[in-house]
Amino acid sequence: MGNKQTIFTDEQLDAYQDCTFFTRKEILRLHGRYHELAPHLVPMDYTNEPDCKIPLALIVNMPELKENPFRDRIVESFSEDGMGNLSFNEFVDMFSVLSEMAPRELKAIYAFKIYDFNVDNYLCKEDLEKTLNKLTKEELTPEEVELVCEKTIEEADLDGDSKLSYADFENMITRAPDFLSTFHIRI
Amino acid sequence: AKNGIIVLKRPLGTSSDSNSDSDEEEDSMSEGEMARLMEEVEEKKKLIATIRNKPWRMKRRLVLLREAQQFVDKFEGALGKGKGRKWYAYKVMMTKKWIKFQRDFENFRTACIPWERKIKEVESHFGSSVASYFIFLRWMYGMNLVLFGLTFGLVVMPEVLMGLPYGSIPRKTVPRAEQDTAQDYSVLMDFNGYCKYSVLFYGYYNNQRTIGLLKFRLPLAYLMVGLGTFGYSLMLVIRTMAKNADVGGGDGDEGEFTFAWKMFTSWDYLIGNAETADNKYASITTSFKESIVDEQENQKDENIHLRRFLRVLANFLITCSLGGSGYLIYFVVKRSQEFANRDDLSWYEKNELELIMSLLGLVCPPLFETIAELEDYHPRIALKWQLGRIFALFLGNLYTFLFALFDEVNTKLEEEGSIKNASIWAMKEYYANFSLPVNDSDATPPPMDPGDVILGPCWETAVGIEFVKLTVSDIQVTYLTILIGDFARAVIVRFLNYCWCWDLEAGFPSYGEFDISGNVLGLVFNQGMIWMGAFYAPGLVGINVLRLLSSMYYQCWAVMATNVPHERVFKASKSNNFYMGLLLLVLFLSLLPVVYTIMSLPPSFDCGPFSGKEKMFDVIMETIDLDLPAFMGTLFSYAANPGLIIPAVLLMVLAIYYLNSTSEAYQNANMELKKKMQMVSKRICGVPSDEDFNQEEPKKQHRQHQPGDEGPGGPAAQSLPGPARPAGAWLVSSRASCRCGTPETGTDQPPALSLWSEQRNPRSLKENRPRPEAEPPGRVLTCRKT
């Protein structure tokens, strides 16, 4: 395994390995992917931690995200400015949370953020409606959408405020047998 | 003071700007301070180990990590003051080296995992359910590779390198009568001729107690490897099941969160292909519509009596066909025994047994599915019944085959008695005839040519040959099925479509689907056969490794080139452990015949590593007597005493009972806590504070709460400070165990065989094709709308 790479210092690579679920080779590969999204913008040499961000529009064109109906929300939840511009740190963070090895609790937190379209820390009816419409490409009638959102809130809402707080969401999602296998992106 | 922690005096020799006593060498820290400092250092170390699990921004993590590492480095030295300093420093250094080694090893291990790209491609086209079959295949391949290494390294290689070569003793030589046909292709294909007298089979191995310079004890190694194969497989399967049990996610009712789960967990994030995505949208929409309809409609009263009658009828028919297939196999095995005595056999007659078994495995499942139409179950329940029946079919076939094989073995054993006498007689005759022409009675006659010695009917090799032939024909049938059933079909549909009256792609026969359950079951049973046969044919594991390797490439190609994403298939079961549990069951079932033969059947008198002994496990007795010191022999004889074994078994039974009742108690406690939680949260509408979601810079004070976070939630709560807990109400919610520490490479997890409901949008050459109204005919394990 090459010790000759000059993209990161060894300390940086060790730190990344401690902070994410990736191995050294995967981190270097991620950097390669990040670079090829915007070759003129992203420097090859990261040893002095340059501060560059790739805009949302370029990131959602990645083959892994291209077909995902929630791609915009995913990138936004991992970006610091909330607008979807990711630095390399955030890029790595995103794929680390979505990788196979991330634990259920961590994924649940980010899933909540992704589905929370208006970023108010609750999944209210509008959030659910938007989610449903994205999932079905708006093929359901408004009555059906209404019914489904009501049923969802009825099922998961524990504290009775007609919206889902993180507690409700987590309680519901940790029982879901499919959650870990579907909330997973392989990079 | 950083983080509110007292800065202690620096180690001797460094300049210090703290107050007082920098020159004293003895520890001027009190015990309390020392203990607290140690605690802080431990805490920091724990933070470093679990930092990847925290839901913080990356920048924050990096900063905190650096701080924590600096703190640990600085004060670990300080703690080493006093008497144990050198030892402590050494310990610290070794720990660091060990961590680095672990990390390098993890990196290396992950780099070694094969076929990542291939699986990713399959995933993005077909979703996680189909890909889970390939992940399972890869896991099997890994296990078989280890078994192959064991067998090859400890049994085959020593015999080849240090044992006697081919042709030196009777068991290693093709008998004179067969020698001129021994190289024929047809004979080799039957695993007779040179194949039979090679390292592939049991009969080749010599029974010398030690061989070569190193005094390698081959018979002992053979027995140990045979048993060790099962031990290793058992350990691996159980370890994987335990790992998956965490992931399973537990004990919610099926109907509890239908809509919520559909909304939040139905989209498969692995999909990267536009067409698959379209299919997925369509299937999600359909699934929602169905649930809405279910919700709105009441179940109509149907004619219960008719339904019950139909179900009984269906079960009766299926039991009949199971019985029929069992009898057919028995009949065919009997016939093959008769054939063994004839010589003029056609190809069909020679391979009849294996062909029939494989064909049954191919024809019966669709038959069961058709009969199951009568039953009119919910698709998920129907799928479970179907899987159960296929399992019963395979099991029944395998065991009938085994029983018939045992009959054959017994016949051979009887034969052995007479051949033994015949061969001793022939040997005497040979020596007698030799001394006649030569008058010099002192000359010793040359030993009889090995090709002339009459060999016994080595039953172990015969059994090994049967298993190898079965495996090979299974492979052939599987590959042919894929070639014809999938590839030829796809080619026909694609090219005939231009000139056919109806749309072949949308109607009958259309493209095939990938039959996940059938393939997984096939894999499981194939492994069962390998486990059974490996003791009698050490080469079988090698054949299986090759088979799995080629299967991977072949099936990946086939699925990408000829299959379409699924019509509706429902989940087989909630947890990933369903197929692992099946594998475990098959492991036990294949262990039984092997252990039975080791314990009770006498080995052949003139072939194999146990020839000459009364029972195969006598080798162990011999080793204990001769190789181990005397006291161990007495120790083992005490251990084998029933007076000791029966209490041990009782103790284990009691332990199981105890663990069972404590686990029930825990479950009850869990239920109570859940109820309390619901009550409390309804009273106080707990709201998580906003700060923890929107933290941008590291908040140092936050860290000090960590040890206190270990409330009633235990380890699960500790891994994530996350949103602040309201009144401790829902700490218990995440049942899953803490995921701190070394990352798991989840790639050796077996199938996430959860299959969501989807409707096929047929792949079509023509654009904007309307969805077909007629239901396409079901293949194995596809479910129709009820």
Side-chain angles (χ1 to χ4, degrees), chain B residues 326-342 349 352-353 400-411 466:
Chain B
Y327 179 70
L328 182 64
I329 292 182
Y330 189 76
F331 175 71
V332 168
V333 171
K334 284 290 173 230
R335 240 162 64 119
S336 78
Q337 285 172 2
E338 289 167 35
F339 287 154
N341 301 332
R342 286 171 32 200
E349 281 164 343
E352 191 183 26
L353 175 62
T400 320
F401 172 74
L402 270 178
F403 283 130
L405 215 58
F406 266 136
D407 274 352
E408 199 176 317
V409 165
N410 283 332
T411 332
E466 283 301 315

Side-chain angles (χ1 to χ4, degrees), chain A residues 125-126 128-133 136 138-152, chain B residues 259 263 288 292:
Chain A
K125 203 110 173 268
E126 292 74 35
L128 295 181
E129 279 172 13
K130 282 214 192 95
T131 308
L132 191 58
N133 282 326
T136 58
E138 305 190 8
E139 292 240 351
L140 295 179
T141 67
E143 297 82 33
E144 290 172 335
V145 171
E146 177 79 23
L147 178 65
V148 171
C149 296
E150 257 177 46
K151 287 297 300 177
T152 307
Chain B
F259 283 96
M263 176 134 16
F288 270 115
I292 294 174

Side-chain angles (χ1 to χ4, degrees), chain B residues 216-276:
Chain B
F216 188 78
R217 287 155 174 68
L218 188 74
L220 183 67
Y222 195 96
L223 188 65
M224 290 283 106
V225 163
L227 295 176
T229 306
F230 289 105
Y232 173 74
S233 312
L234 184 66
M235 188 197 77
L236 194 64
V237 170
I238 290 199
R239 202 173 67 146
T240 316
M241 279 179 88
K243 237 194 267 181
N244 287 346
D246 295 337
V247 167
D251 56 354
D253 295 330
E254 277 213 1
E256 204 180 335
F257 289 115
T258 326
F259 283 96
W261 285 348
K262 277 201 170 72
M263 176 134 16
F264 294 115
T265 65
S266 58
W267 180 263
D268 195 345
Y269 281 53
L270 285 165
I271 292 179
N273 175 293
E275 209 174 308
T276 318

Side-chain angles (χ1 to χ4, degrees), chain A residues 1 14-21 23-26 29 33 49 63-64 67-70 74 77-80 89-90 92-93 98 100-101 103-106 109-110 112-115 121-123 128 131-132 134-137 139-140 144 147-148 151-152 155-156 158-159 164-167 169-187, chain B residues 51-59 61-62 65-66 69 103 107 110-111 116-117 119-120 123 128 135 247-249 252 256-274 277-278 281 284-285 288-289 292 295-296 571 574 674 677-678 681-682 685-688 690 693 696 720 723 730 733-734 736-737 739 743-747 752 754 756:
Chain A
M1 227 106 344
D14 279 338
Y16 277 128
Q17 284 184 71
D18 276 327
C19 289
T20 67
F21 296 97
T23 60
R24 181 195 153 96
K25 189 166 160 196
E26 286 162 349
R29 191 157 43 129
R33 295 295 301 271
E49 296 176 25
E64 287 87 356
E67 299 298 331
N68 196 316
F70 302 111
I74 295 175
S77 344
F78 284 94
S79 71
E80 213 169 302
N89 282 342
E90 289 148 4
V92 168
D93 198 17
L98 286 167
E100 225 167 354
M101 294 147 308
R104 186 184 288 267
E105 301 86 10
L106 189 59
I109 292 179
Y110 281 97
F112 186 78
K113 286 195 208 183
I114 288 173
Y115 295 125
N121 284 335
Y122 287 100
L123 297 179
L128 295 181
T131 308
L132 191 58
K134 279 199 191 284
L135 273 178
T136 58
K137 274 199 173 165
E139 292 240 351
L140 295 179
E144 290 172 335
L147 178 65
V148 171
K151 287 297 300 177
T152 307
E155 282 171 355
L158 287 176
D159 47 20
L164 302 183
S165 64
Y166 178 70
F169 181 79
E170 196 203 3
N171 177 47
M172 178 268 297
I173 209 85
T174 43
R175 318 279 183 87
D178 290 333
F179 177 59
L180 277 179
S181 59
T182 55
F183 197 71
H184 164 215
I185 293 186
R186 197 186 290 266
I187 183 84
Chain B
I51 198 164
R52 55 171 72 89
N53 292 340
K54 311 284 189 201
W56 301 328
R57 297 260 175 250
M58 190 63 149
K59 206 159 48 166
R61 267 190 237 161
L62 287 169
L65 177 75
R66 193 164 31 216
Q69 278 173 338
R103 171 174 296 166
N107 283 356
T110 329
E116 273 296 287
R117 300 285 102 200
I119 290 184
K120 178 175 174 176
E123 261 172 349
S128 53
I135 294 178
V247 167
E256 204 180 335
F257 289 115
T258 326
F259 283 96
W261 285 348
K262 277 201 170 72
M263 176 134 16
F264 294 115
T265 65
S266 58
W267 180 263
D268 195 345
Y269 281 53
L270 285 165
I271 292 179
N273 175 293
D278 284 338
Y281 286 125
I284 291 179
T285 311
F288 270 115
K289 288 200 187 212
I292 294 174
E295 192 62 31
Q296 286 170 340
K571 286 200 293 286
K574 272 195 187 167
K674 268 189 219 159
M677 169 189 100
Q678 286 185 354
S681 65
K682 279 182 165 48
C685 298
V687 175
D690 288 346
F693 273 120
E696 294 310 322
L720 301 172
W730 44 276
S733 66
S734 31
S737 61
R739 289 284 166 143
E744 291 176 19
T745 48
T747 44
S754 53
W756 207 253

Side-chain angles (χ1 to χ4, degrees), chain A residues 63-77:
Chain A
E64 287 87 356
L65 289 174
K66 199 164 43 123
E67 299 298 331
N68 196 316
F70 302 111
R71 52 188 179 272
D72 291 327
R73 277 303 304 153
I74 295 175
V75 179
E76 280 166 18
S77 344

Side-chain angles (χ1 to χ4, degrees), chain B residues 358-551:
Chain B
S358 310
L359 281 178
L360 275 176
L362 209 60
V363 158
C364 285
L367 180 68
F368 290 164
E369 209 200 335
T370 326
I371 297 180
E373 291 294 306
L374 286 175
E375 289 182 327
D376 198 24
Y377 277 125
H378 184 275
R380 180 176 297 145
I381 303 183
L383 185 64
K384 277 198 181 139
W385 276 95
Q386 175 74 355
L387 287 173
R389 286 174 184 143
I390 296 182
F391 187 74
L393 172 76
F394 277 133
L395 208 61
N397 288 356
L398 208 55
Y399 263 70
T400 320
F401 172 74
L402 270 178
F403 283 130
L405 215 58
F406 266 136
D407 274 352
E408 199 176 317
V409 165
N410 283 332
T411 332
K412 285 216 156 75
L413 279 173
E414 285 162 15
E415 219 181 298
E416 216 181 69
S418 56
I419 292 202
K420 207 189 232 175
N421 292 337
S423 79
I424 296 178
W425 190 250
M427 180 98 59
K428 289 208 169 88
E429 289 232 1
Y430 172 76
Y431 286 131
N433 285 341
F434 181 82
S435 57
L436 278 177
V438 178
N439 284 330
D440 183 3
S441 51
D442 286 342
T444 48
M448 204 154 126
D449 180 63
D452 288 326
V453 176
I454 303 176
L455 278 183
C458 198
W459 63 266
E460 295 97 343
T461 304
V463 168
I465 292 181
E466 283 301 315
F467 274 110
V468 172
K469 281 194 339 192
L470 194 61
T471 307
V472 167
S473 93
D474 192 48
I475 297 174
Q476 286 168 339
V477 168
T478 314
Y479 285 11
L480 271 178
T481 318
I482 295 180
L483 201 59
I484 298 179
D486 281 337
F487 183 65
R489 174 170 159 183
V491 164
I492 290 176
V493 166
R494 183 89 192 277
F495 291 114
L496 271 189
N497 207 20
Y498 291 120
C499 51
W500 204 262
C501 11
W502 72 83
D503 186 4
L504 286 172
E505 283 178 350
F508 178 83
S510 73
Y511 295 103
E513 292 169 351
F514 187 78
D515 175 15
I516 303 176
S517 307
N519 273 307
V520 171
L521 277 180
L523 209 59
V524 165
F525 277 101
N526 172 63
Q527 190 60 37
M529 287 196 287
I530 303 297
W531 277 324
M532 271 197 253
F535 188 74
Y536 303 106
L540 188 57
V541 189
I543 296 178
N544 198 38
V545 165
L546 285 176
R547 174 231 171 103
L548 288 174
L549 189 61
S550 56
S551 257

